């Protein structure tokens, strides 16, 4: 779990708590701790997290904003 100090937008420095990939979802739990997930793990766990999270920040739609890298 990632401790939450203040709500800030997710950035490239935020990493999935499951695999370490870039995080696109933050779920803040009633305890104040947050779980961060990449798009893959967010899709896998989002339904369950929505029932327990007091704050749910989903930025998966921002994946389309990331430019493709050149080969």
């Amino acid at each position: 779990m990632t401790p939450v100090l203040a709500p800030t937008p997710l950035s490239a420095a935020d990493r999935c708590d499951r695999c370490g990939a870039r995080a696109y979802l933050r779920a803040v739990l009633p305890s104040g701790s947050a779980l961060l997930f990449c798009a893959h793990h967010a899709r896998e766990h989002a339904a369950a997290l929505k029932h327990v999270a007091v704050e749910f920040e989903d930025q998966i739609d921002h994946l389309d904003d990331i430019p493709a890298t050149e080969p």
Side-chain angles (χ1 to χ4, degrees):
M1 273 191 257
T2 303
V4 175
L5 301 176
T8 59
L10 293 171
S11 72
D14 293 308
R15 296 294 168 184
C16 177
D17 289 328
R18 295 277 297 172
C19 69
R22 183 175 176 172
Y24 289 95
L25 181 133
R26 175 188 293 128
V28 179
L29 304 176
S31 66
S33 296
L35 295 171
L36 301 177
F37 290 104
C38 65
H40 166 79
H41 286 113
R43 288 182 187 106
E44 184 178 342
H45 300 291
L49 288 170
K50 286 181 180 179
H51 294 290
V52 296
V54 295
E55 183 182 330
F56 195 79
E57 182 181 354
D58 183 349
Q59 297 183 359
I60 294 173
D61 292 340
H62 292 224
L63 282 169
D64 295 334
D65 301 339
I66 299 172
T69 57
E70 294 182 6

